[in-house]
Amino acid sequence: MRNHLKNHSWWSALAIAAGIGGVVWLGNTLHFQGNATAQAAASSAGGSPQVLNLKNPDIVAAQQLSRAFEEIQRSIKNSVVNINVIKIIKSPAMRMHIQLPPGFHQFFQVPPGFRFRVGPGPLSQTPPQGGPEKLFGTGSGVIIGANGYIVTNNHVVSHATSIKVTLADGRTYKAKLIGRDPKTDLAVIKIPVANLTPAVLGNSSHVHIGQWVLAFGSPFGLSHTMTQGIISAKGRAHIIAAHNPKLLGLTYGDFLQTDAAINPGNSGGPLVNMRGHVIGINTAIATNTGSFAGIGFSIPSNEVKYVSHALIKYGKVVRGYLGVGIADIRIPGVRKVARTFHFMGKHGVLVEQVMRNTPAAKAGMKPGDIIVAFDGKKVMRLNELRNEVAQTRPGTKVTLQVVRDGKTFNLTFPVGTQPATHQLAMEGVSSGPSSIASHSLGITVSTVTPAMARQYHMSAPRGVVVTRLDPNSIAASAGINPGEIILNVQGHRVNSAAQFDRIIKKANLARGVRMSLRSPGGSEQFVFVQHSP
């Protein structure tokens, strides 16, 4: 959470003259200085002011688009709410419980004029030593039920001790938290009032890059603000998991990207299409300043429908689970690895890891398998498969079409229940006594010891750990990092640094080799290492 506004200083920015078309804003007064000068000049020259041809087809089209924006605003305004919360911050660490990677910010905004409040008395940023802080924040939400249900972002209401909702007509109500889903950053709250105007949740699968969209919310505490833009891209992933290692590999989002201006305070507000339907819930922005820089991300409405229904009905979201780590074949590096498994297709997902005692493991799935279809539907992208599995009720039997070493077959088995988090081992490793430098790769490796194996959640020591890496090496270019364990090379299991050295010396790095890596967090992946031609 960031307080970008101090002492209402932002109002001074609104009073700065903006000379566009001769119009200058000063407070609430319009001064047509430029136009007056132009008219005086025209008069002295004996001419007449230029009259705009309102029947010009371009002007007519622009006016029609403007009226469309106005109509959409009228249709959605009563469904958009402002949310104010109070969070008790007991320690500095708790204040940072939601973080995104550098350049990413969620839109939870401390409203103008507010500071951290500590008990009764004046507003203060610094609490008494050892005392808790009260953090006042504001976000946005969308009414999805006439009986008071509202969807917003999880990071807006998580850990809140007080949630208040202000409707478009100014009425304010205390809200009750119905349920949260950190894996999608969605939450549902409810206010005790009926006959509200719910928004229409559209079909986000029909969204196209380039189409007009409107964003609504409370940027910088300015409620019921509307901005416009287009859909810039689709299928953006890793927006949530990047800031929370416990959710690594478990988040479900296929984010829409937009250039509609959204800023701190927009969290939970709707992204609306030209039919007035909500196609997304605004969640994050990419920026170096904390404010809008042309890149915003929105949770697709189809995900919002599924999650909000589950939260209202059950209070939580239960997802299907296979127990595999996967990579998208469309990525060039992954495609190179897939070729080493004799797969020449352009779509599908590569299985990089099969977790023990999971549905996939029990069904016989192996690392190196390529999943090309799920219950008869072709797998075109990783996010498609991930979302299909997540929305499958645990216990339901599914059929996966798999390619293994060039041969296609089916695996049918019931999906499991996705765990809440992955338990990650974050401890570092140090060089062991058996270290060997591979100059051709640009790395130094050490034999994995029993202590290291326990840190990496391995049942027995195997592989070699990368202890040093030349940043300009082919290993670095392939995505290998210090601290990762190399488990096998081109299908050959690695048990010691000496064995690894022998395998690499026999390998043809000009043609490239496949390696299987295990991270300190326990996830496994393939990389393709090759000398540049």
Side-chain angles (χ1 to χ4, degrees), residues 356 423-425 452-459 518 520-522:
R356 290 183 300 166
Q423 296 300 317
L424 304 180
M452 289 180 189
R454 288 192 295 273
Q455 290 176 352
Y456 284 76
H457 286 188
M458 298 166 65
S459 58
R518 187 180 183 93

Side-chain angles (χ1 to χ4, degrees), residues 487-499:
L487 298 173
N488 68 63
V489 178
Q490 205 66 21
H492 299 287
R493 181 166 174 164
V494 176
N495 294 311
S496 68
Q499 183 189 21

Side-chain angles (χ1 to χ4, degrees), residues 213 229-232 256-260 262 271 282 292 294-297:
V213 288
I230 64 169
I231 295 294
S232 307
L256 304 174
Q257 181 181 322
T258 180
D259 68 350
I262 42 184
L271 191 68
N282 300 320
F292 182 66
I295 301 176
F297 302 101

Side-chain angles (χ1 to χ4, degrees), residues 137-182:
T138 185
S140 306
V142 184
I143 297 172
I144 57 173
N147 53 351
Y149 287 107
I150 296 166
V151 68
T152 184
N153 282 141
N154 171 63
H155 72 260
V156 171
V157 297
S158 63
H159 303 288
T161 57
S162 171
I163 305 172
K164 289 186 178 180
V165 170
T166 301
L167 303 179
D169 59 12
R171 288 180 293 166
T172 299
Y173 298 91
K174 286 186 177 181
K176 175 185 177 182
L177 178 64
I178 300 301
R180 302 188 297 113
D181 184 44

